[in-house]
Amino acid sequence: MRLLLQRVPLLILLLAAISAAVFTLTQYLPGDPAFVAAGGGDATPEMVAHARARLGLDRPIWARYLYYVGNAVRGDFGNSIVNRKPVIEDIRKYWPATLELALAAIAISAFAGIPLGLVSAAWAGRWPDRLITPASVFLGSMPVFWLGLMAVFVFYRQLDLLPAGGRLTVGLAPPPTLTGLLLVDSVIAGQGTVFADALRHLILPATILSVISLAMITRVTRAALLDILHEDYLRTARAKGLSESSVLLKHALRNASVPILTIVGLQLGQLIGGVVVTETIFSWPGLGLYAVTAVENQDYPALLAFTLITTAVYVTINVLVDLLYPLLSPQTRG
Protein backbone atom coordinates (compact mmCIF):
# COMPACT_ATOMS: atom_id res chain seq x y z
CA MET A 1 0.00 0.00 0.00
CA ARG A 2 2.84 2.39 0.83
CA LEU A 3 4.40 1.76 -2.56
CA LEU A 4 1.06 2.43 -4.26
CA LEU A 5 0.65 5.72 -2.38
CA GLN A 6 4.15 6.72 -3.51
CA ARG A 7 3.43 5.93 -7.15
CA VAL A 8 0.03 7.64 -7.50
CA PRO A 9 1.34 11.25 -7.21
CA LEU A 10 4.06 10.45 -9.74
CA LEU A 11 1.44 8.99 -12.07
CA ILE A 12 -0.67 12.15 -11.78
CA LEU A 13 2.34 14.43 -12.41
CA LEU A 14 3.43 12.36 -15.40
CA LEU A 15 -0.02 12.42 -16.97
CA ALA A 16 -0.28 16.17 -16.36
CA ALA A 17 3.08 16.83 -18.01
CA ILE A 18 2.35 14.60 -21.00
CA SER A 19 -1.15 16.00 -21.46
CA ALA A 20 0.20 19.57 -21.41
CA ALA A 21 2.95 18.74 -23.92
CA VAL A 22 0.67 16.85 -26.31
CA PHE A 23 -2.12 19.42 -26.02
CA THR A 24 0.28 22.26 -26.81
CA LEU A 25 1.79 20.37 -29.73
CA THR A 26 -1.58 19.63 -31.31
CA GLN A 27 -2.52 23.29 -31.17
CA TYR A 28 0.41 24.23 -33.39
CA LEU A 29 0.32 21.39 -35.90
CA PRO A 30 -0.32 22.36 -39.54
CA GLY A 31 -3.94 22.53 -40.58
CA ASP A 32 -7.07 24.02 -39.09
CA PRO A 33 -9.40 21.68 -37.21
CA ALA A 34 -12.13 24.31 -37.38
CA PHE A 35 -11.92 24.19 -41.19
CA VAL A 36 -12.24 20.40 -41.09
CA ALA A 37 -15.14 20.55 -38.63
CA ALA A 38 -16.92 23.11 -40.83
CA GLY A 39 -16.93 20.75 -43.80
CA GLY A 40 -13.57 21.28 -45.50
CA GLY A 41 -13.46 22.74 -48.98
CA ASP A 42 -17.13 23.72 -49.03
CA ALA A 43 -16.93 25.72 -45.80
CA THR A 44 -17.47 29.49 -45.87
CA PRO A 45 -15.52 31.86 -43.57
CA GLU A 46 -18.65 32.24 -41.44
CA MET A 47 -18.96 28.46 -41.06
CA VAL A 48 -15.29 28.18 -40.06
CA ALA A 49 -15.68 30.98 -37.51
CA HIS A 50 -18.76 29.27 -36.06
CA ALA A 51 -16.90 25.94 -35.83
CA ARG A 52 -13.93 27.67 -34.18
CA ALA A 53 -16.20 29.15 -31.54
CA ARG A 54 -18.01 25.83 -31.03
CA LEU A 55 -14.72 24.00 -30.51
CA GLY A 56 -13.40 26.71 -28.18
CA LEU A 57 -10.48 27.49 -30.47
CA ASP A 58 -11.08 31.23 -30.11
CA ARG A 59 -9.99 31.13 -26.45
CA PRO A 60 -6.40 31.35 -25.09
CA ILE A 61 -4.48 28.08 -25.13
CA TRP A 62 -4.18 27.91 -21.33
CA ALA A 63 -7.94 28.29 -20.96
CA ARG A 64 -8.53 25.56 -23.53
CA TYR A 65 -6.11 23.26 -21.73
CA LEU A 66 -7.68 23.75 -18.30
CA TYR A 67 -11.12 23.21 -19.78
CA TYR A 68 -9.93 20.02 -21.48
CA VAL A 69 -8.26 18.64 -18.34
CA GLY A 70 -11.34 19.37 -16.25
CA ASN A 71 -13.50 17.40 -18.66
CA ALA A 72 -10.94 14.59 -19.10
CA VAL A 73 -10.84 13.97 -15.35
CA ARG A 74 -14.58 13.26 -15.57
CA GLY A 75 -14.04 10.91 -18.53
CA ASP A 76 -15.11 13.45 -21.15
CA PHE A 77 -12.46 13.73 -23.88
CA GLY A 78 -14.62 15.88 -26.10
CA ASN A 79 -16.27 15.02 -29.40
CA SER A 80 -14.55 13.80 -32.53
CA ILE A 81 -14.16 16.54 -35.14
CA VAL A 82 -14.88 14.01 -37.89
CA ASN A 83 -18.00 12.16 -36.69
CA ARG A 84 -18.96 14.48 -33.80
CA LYS A 85 -19.46 11.50 -31.50
CA PRO A 86 -17.97 11.48 -27.98
CA VAL A 87 -14.37 10.32 -28.27
CA ILE A 88 -14.78 8.06 -25.25
CA GLU A 89 -17.34 6.02 -27.19
CA ASP A 90 -14.82 5.47 -29.98
CA ILE A 91 -12.16 4.49 -27.42
CA ARG A 92 -14.49 1.92 -25.88
CA LYS A 93 -15.26 0.56 -29.32
CA TYR A 94 -11.65 0.16 -30.49
CA TRP A 95 -9.89 -0.59 -27.18
CA PRO A 96 -10.78 -4.33 -26.94
CA ALA A 97 -9.20 -5.07 -30.34
CA THR A 98 -5.92 -3.44 -29.29
CA LEU A 99 -5.95 -5.16 -25.92
CA GLU A 100 -6.54 -8.58 -27.51
CA LEU A 101 -3.71 -8.02 -29.99
CA ALA A 102 -1.28 -6.78 -27.33
CA LEU A 103 -2.07 -9.63 -24.92
CA ALA A 104 -1.60 -12.20 -27.67
CA ALA A 105 1.71 -10.60 -28.67
CA ILE A 106 3.09 -10.47 -25.12
CA ALA A 107 2.01 -14.08 -24.54
CA ILE A 108 3.98 -15.16 -27.61
CA SER A 109 6.95 -13.05 -26.51
CA ALA A 110 7.02 -14.36 -22.95
CA PHE A 111 6.30 -18.03 -23.62
CA ALA A 112 8.96 -18.11 -26.34
CA GLY A 113 11.45 -15.54 -25.06
CA ILE A 114 11.88 -16.80 -21.50
CA PRO A 115 12.67 -20.43 -22.49
CA LEU A 116 15.00 -19.22 -25.23
CA GLY A 117 16.83 -16.97 -22.77
CA LEU A 118 17.07 -19.80 -20.28
CA VAL A 119 18.54 -22.18 -22.88
CA SER A 120 20.94 -19.51 -24.08
CA ALA A 121 22.19 -18.86 -20.54
CA ALA A 122 22.43 -22.55 -19.61
CA TRP A 123 24.45 -23.24 -22.76
CA ALA A 124 26.44 -20.00 -22.73
CA GLY A 125 29.26 -20.00 -25.24
CA ARG A 126 28.04 -23.19 -26.92
CA TRP A 127 26.06 -23.70 -30.12
CA PRO A 128 22.54 -22.98 -28.70
CA ASP A 129 23.76 -19.68 -27.31
CA ARG A 130 25.64 -18.86 -30.51
CA LEU A 131 22.42 -19.43 -32.44
CA ILE A 132 19.89 -17.76 -30.12
CA THR A 133 21.81 -14.60 -29.21
CA PRO A 134 22.56 -13.39 -32.78
CA ALA A 135 19.01 -14.34 -33.82
CA SER A 136 17.53 -12.23 -31.02
CA VAL A 137 19.72 -9.26 -31.95
CA PHE A 138 18.75 -9.65 -35.61
CA LEU A 139 15.01 -9.89 -34.89
CA GLY A 140 15.16 -6.97 -32.46
CA SER A 141 16.59 -4.73 -35.17
CA MET A 142 14.09 -5.65 -37.90
CA PRO A 143 11.59 -2.93 -38.95
CA VAL A 144 8.08 -4.01 -37.94
CA PHE A 145 6.48 -2.55 -41.06
CA TRP A 146 8.81 -4.58 -43.32
CA LEU A 147 8.19 -7.79 -41.37
CA GLY A 148 4.45 -7.18 -41.54
CA LEU A 149 4.45 -6.61 -45.28
CA MET A 150 6.60 -9.70 -45.87
CA ALA A 151 4.30 -11.79 -43.65
CA VAL A 152 1.27 -10.67 -45.64
CA PHE A 153 3.05 -11.41 -48.92
CA VAL A 154 4.21 -14.89 -47.89
CA PHE A 155 1.41 -16.26 -45.72
CA TYR A 156 -1.53 -14.59 -47.46
CA ARG A 157 -0.54 -13.84 -51.03
CA GLN A 158 1.77 -16.77 -51.80
CA LEU A 159 0.67 -19.59 -49.46
CA ASP A 160 -2.91 -18.48 -48.73
CA LEU A 161 -2.61 -19.88 -45.21
CA LEU A 162 -3.70 -16.94 -43.09
CA PRO A 163 -5.92 -13.88 -43.62
CA ALA A 164 -4.23 -10.54 -44.20
CA GLY A 165 -6.42 -8.23 -42.13
CA GLY A 166 -9.42 -7.62 -39.93
CA ARG A 167 -10.59 -9.55 -36.89
CA LEU A 168 -13.19 -11.78 -38.56
CA THR A 169 -14.03 -12.96 -42.05
CA VAL A 170 -16.52 -10.66 -43.76
CA GLY A 171 -20.04 -12.02 -43.32
CA LEU A 172 -19.26 -13.97 -40.14
CA ALA A 173 -21.32 -12.60 -37.25
CA PRO A 174 -19.30 -11.76 -34.12
CA PRO A 175 -20.32 -13.28 -30.78
CA PRO A 176 -22.38 -11.32 -28.25
CA THR A 177 -20.14 -8.63 -26.77
CA LEU A 178 -19.20 -9.25 -23.15
CA THR A 179 -15.52 -8.35 -22.98
CA GLY A 180 -14.91 -7.17 -26.54
CA LEU A 181 -12.19 -9.82 -26.88
CA LEU A 182 -13.38 -12.06 -29.70
CA LEU A 183 -11.55 -15.16 -28.48
CA VAL A 184 -13.02 -14.85 -25.00
CA ASP A 185 -16.53 -13.89 -26.12
CA SER A 186 -16.69 -16.72 -28.68
CA VAL A 187 -15.68 -19.26 -26.02
CA ILE A 188 -18.31 -17.94 -23.61
CA ALA A 189 -20.93 -18.09 -26.37
CA GLY A 190 -19.83 -21.58 -27.40
CA GLN A 191 -19.16 -20.48 -30.99
CA GLY A 192 -16.23 -22.64 -32.07
CA THR A 193 -16.33 -21.49 -35.68
CA VAL A 194 -16.02 -17.85 -34.65
CA PHE A 195 -13.20 -18.70 -32.23
CA ALA A 196 -11.22 -20.52 -34.92
CA ASP A 197 -11.74 -17.70 -37.42
CA ALA A 198 -10.77 -15.00 -34.89
CA LEU A 199 -7.65 -16.98 -33.95
CA ARG A 200 -6.59 -17.28 -37.61
CA HIS A 201 -6.95 -13.53 -38.04
CA LEU A 202 -4.96 -12.89 -34.86
CA ILE A 203 -1.94 -15.09 -35.61
CA LEU A 204 -0.13 -12.91 -38.16
CA PRO A 205 -0.48 -9.47 -36.51
CA ALA A 206 0.22 -10.85 -33.02
CA THR A 207 3.32 -12.70 -34.20
CA ILE A 208 4.71 -9.67 -36.03
CA LEU A 209 3.96 -7.38 -33.09
CA SER A 210 5.70 -9.82 -30.73
CA VAL A 211 9.01 -10.02 -32.60
CA ILE A 212 10.83 -7.09 -30.98
CA SER A 213 9.45 -7.89 -27.52
CA LEU A 214 10.47 -11.53 -27.93
CA ALA A 215 14.02 -10.46 -28.73
CA MET A 216 14.17 -8.13 -25.73
CA ILE A 217 12.76 -10.70 -23.29
CA THR A 218 15.18 -13.35 -24.57
CA ARG A 219 18.20 -11.11 -24.07
CA VAL A 220 17.14 -9.85 -20.62
CA THR A 221 16.36 -13.40 -19.44
CA ARG A 222 19.77 -14.57 -20.61
CA ALA A 223 21.57 -11.68 -18.91
CA ALA A 224 19.61 -12.08 -15.65
CA LEU A 225 20.36 -15.80 -15.47
CA LEU A 226 24.04 -15.40 -16.32
CA ASP A 227 24.38 -13.06 -13.34
CA ILE A 228 23.31 -15.75 -10.87
CA LEU A 229 24.16 -19.12 -12.42
CA HIS A 230 27.46 -19.30 -10.52
CA GLU A 231 26.11 -18.15 -7.14
CA ASP A 232 26.89 -20.27 -4.09
CA TYR A 233 23.30 -21.28 -3.39
CA LEU A 234 23.05 -22.82 -6.87
CA ARG A 235 26.28 -24.74 -6.31
CA THR A 236 24.78 -25.99 -3.05
CA ALA A 237 21.62 -27.10 -4.85
CA ARG A 238 23.70 -29.03 -7.38
CA ALA A 239 25.77 -30.58 -4.58
CA LYS A 240 22.58 -31.86 -2.97
CA GLY A 241 21.93 -33.88 -6.11
CA LEU A 242 19.29 -31.71 -7.78
CA SER A 243 19.15 -32.06 -11.53
CA GLU A 244 20.33 -29.17 -13.68
CA SER A 245 16.81 -28.57 -14.97
CA SER A 246 15.51 -28.38 -11.40
CA VAL A 247 18.26 -25.95 -10.44
CA LEU A 248 17.48 -23.73 -13.43
CA LEU A 249 13.69 -23.75 -13.16
CA LYS A 250 13.10 -23.83 -9.39
CA HIS A 251 16.00 -21.72 -8.15
CA ALA A 252 17.76 -19.72 -10.84
CA LEU A 253 14.71 -18.63 -12.81
CA ARG A 254 12.81 -17.55 -9.71
CA ASN A 255 15.70 -15.44 -8.46
CA ALA A 256 16.02 -13.85 -11.89
CA SER A 257 12.28 -13.14 -12.06
CA VAL A 258 12.43 -9.45 -11.10
CA PRO A 259 14.27 -8.18 -14.21
CA ILE A 260 12.27 -10.62 -16.36
CA LEU A 261 8.97 -9.37 -14.94
CA THR A 262 10.16 -5.81 -15.45
CA ILE A 263 10.90 -6.28 -19.14
CA VAL A 264 7.64 -8.17 -19.72
CA GLY A 265 5.67 -5.34 -18.10
CA LEU A 266 7.55 -2.68 -20.04
CA GLN A 267 7.03 -4.51 -23.30
CA LEU A 268 3.30 -4.97 -22.67
CA GLY A 269 2.93 -1.24 -22.10
CA GLN A 270 4.91 -0.48 -25.24
CA LEU A 271 2.85 -2.95 -27.27
CA ILE A 272 -0.40 -1.26 -26.27
CA GLY A 273 0.94 2.19 -27.11
CA GLY A 274 2.90 1.13 -30.16
CA VAL A 275 0.42 -0.88 -32.20
CA VAL A 276 -0.01 1.88 -34.79
CA VAL A 277 2.17 0.31 -37.50
CA THR A 278 0.95 -3.25 -37.01
CA GLU A 279 -2.72 -2.30 -36.92
CA THR A 280 -2.30 -0.19 -40.05
CA ILE A 281 -0.63 -3.00 -42.01
CA PHE A 282 -3.19 -5.61 -40.99
CA SER A 283 -6.25 -3.32 -41.01
CA TRP A 284 -6.79 -4.24 -37.38
CA PRO A 285 -9.67 -2.11 -36.01
CA GLY A 286 -7.99 -0.98 -32.81
CA LEU A 287 -6.69 2.19 -31.20
CA GLY A 288 -3.60 2.30 -33.41
CA LEU A 289 -5.62 2.46 -36.62
CA TYR A 290 -7.97 4.92 -34.91
CA ALA A 291 -5.01 7.18 -34.09
CA VAL A 292 -3.76 7.06 -37.69
CA THR A 293 -7.21 8.08 -38.92
CA ALA A 294 -7.28 10.90 -36.36
CA VAL A 295 -3.95 12.26 -37.61
CA GLU A 296 -5.05 12.08 -41.25
CA ASN A 297 -8.26 13.99 -40.46
CA GLN A 298 -6.72 16.43 -37.98
CA ASP A 299 -9.03 15.02 -35.32
CA TYR A 300 -7.12 16.41 -32.35
CA PRO A 301 -9.55 15.36 -29.58
CA ALA A 302 -9.26 11.75 -30.75
CA LEU A 303 -5.47 11.97 -30.95
CA LEU A 304 -5.22 13.53 -27.48
CA ALA A 305 -7.44 10.83 -25.98
CA PHE A 306 -5.38 8.07 -27.61
CA THR A 307 -2.14 9.55 -26.25
CA LEU A 308 -3.41 10.08 -22.71
CA ILE A 309 -5.12 6.71 -22.40
CA THR A 310 -2.18 4.69 -23.75
CA THR A 311 0.16 6.65 -21.47
CA ALA A 312 -2.06 5.97 -18.46
CA VAL A 313 -2.18 2.27 -19.32
CA TYR A 314 1.61 2.13 -19.73
CA VAL A 315 2.27 3.78 -16.37
CA THR A 316 -0.39 1.70 -14.62
CA ILE A 317 1.19 -1.52 -15.89
CA ASN A 318 4.54 -0.43 -14.51
CA VAL A 319 2.97 0.38 -11.13
CA LEU A 320 1.39 -3.10 -11.07
CA VAL A 321 4.77 -4.64 -11.89
CA ASP A 322 6.31 -2.75 -8.95
CA LEU A 323 3.59 -4.11 -6.67
CA LEU A 324 4.37 -7.68 -7.78
CA TYR A 325 8.08 -7.44 -6.89
CA PRO A 326 7.65 -8.37 -3.19
CA LEU A 327 5.73 -11.51 -4.17
CA LEU A 328 8.61 -12.73 -6.31
CA SER A 329 11.60 -11.52 -4.34
CA PRO A 330 11.56 -11.08 -0.53
CA GLN A 331 14.60 -8.81 -0.82
CA THR A 332 12.40 -6.12 -2.41
CA ARG A 333 10.00 -5.94 0.52
CA GLY A 334 10.28 -2.65 2.33
Side-chain angles (χ1 to χ4, degrees):
M1 181 59 68
R2 184 179 63 183
L3 180 61
L4 181 61
L5 294 176
Q6 292 174 346
R7 292 292 189 271
V8 169
L10 295 176
L11 172 60
I12 295 173
L13 288 175
L14 179 61
L15 289 176
I18 291 176
S19 66
V22 175
F23 185 89
T24 303
L25 179 62
T26 57
Q27 305 306 302
Y28 294 101
L29 288 176
D32 186 358
F35 180 74
V36 176
D42 297 329
T44 64
E46 292 77 13
M47 294 169 63
V48 174
H50 176 74
R52 182 169 284 106
R54 176 170 57 83
L55 296 173
L57 298 176
D58 55 346
R59 290 179 290 179
I61 187 171
W62 61 268
R64 300 201 300 270
Y65 174 70
L66 292 178
Y67 179 77
Y68 179 82
V69 170
N71 288 335
V73 170
R74 298 193 297 269
D76 180 8
F77 293 94
N79 293 341
S80 168
I81 293 176
V82 176
N83 59 26
R84 300 194 179 182
K85 294 180 180 179
V87 171
I88 193 64
E89 292 184 4
D90 290 335
I91 296 296
R92 289 172 182 157
K93 175 182 177 182
Y94 295 113
W95 163 251
T98 293
L99 180 62
E100 185 169 50
L101 179 59
L103 290 177
I106 199 64
I108 294 171
S109 301
F111 285 112
I114 293 175
L116 286 173
L118 190 149
V119 170
S120 182
W123 293 69
R126 286 175 281 181
W127 70 265
D129 183 38
R130 292 174 183 173
L131 178 64
I132 294 172
T133 299
S136 65
V137 173
F138 175 75
L139 288 177
S141 62
M142 294 296 290
V144 173
F145 72 89
W146 184 86
L147 284 175
L149 292 174
M150 290 300 100
V152 170
F153 177 76
V154 173
F155 293 99
Y156 171 70
R157 184 67 180 275
Q158 297 297 319
L159 302 178
D160 194 24
L161 291 177
L162 295 169
R167 300 181 73 190
L168 281 177
T169 300
V170 176
L172 186 62
T177 301
L178 294 176
T179 66
L181 309 178
L182 290 183
L183 295 182
V184 175
D185 290 347
S186 60
V187 169
I188 294 174
Q191 298 180 355
T193 302
V194 176
F195 177 86
D197 190 78
L199 182 61
R200 290 184 69 247
H201 281 77
L202 183 62
I203 290 174
L204 268 188
T207 302
I208 295 303
L209 186 61
S210 72
V211 166
I212 293 179
S213 297
L214 190 156
M216 290 293 297
I217 292 173
T218 299
R219 290 157 63 186
V220 169
T221 301
R222 178 184 184 275
L225 287 169
L226 285 177
D227 285 341
I228 63 173
L229 279 180
H230 301 292
E231 293 289 337
D232 290 340
Y233 67 90
L234 293 183
R235 294 194 184 97
T236 301
R238 293 186 182 98
K240 289 181 177 180
L242 294 180
S243 65
E244 188 65 19
S245 61
S246 180
V247 170
L248 289 173
L249 295 175
K250 293 184 179 180
H251 297 279
L253 190 58
R254 174 159 187 172
N255 283 278
S257 60
V258 169
I260 296 173
L261 176 64
T262 300
I263 192 62
V264 171
L266 288 173
Q267 291 302 309
L268 176 58
Q270 290 181 7
L271 289 176
I272 291 176
V275 294
V276 173
V277 174
T278 303
E279 289 190 355
T280 302
I281 292 173
F282 292 98
S283 299
W284 190 264
L287 289 182
L289 192 58
Y290 178 66
V292 171
T293 304
V295 172
E296 292 174 346
N297 294 290
Q298 300 175 4
D299 194 350
Y300 298 150
L303 184 59
L304 275 168
F306 167 79
T307 304
L308 291 179
I309 289 174
T310 53
T311 300
V313 170
Y314 180 83
V315 177
T316 302
I317 289 173
N318 282 275
V319 171
L320 293 176
V321 168
D322 287 347
L323 296 177
L324 289 175
Y325 285 162
L327 301 178
L328 297 174
S329 178
Q331 293 87 346
T332 61
R333 295 171 187 169

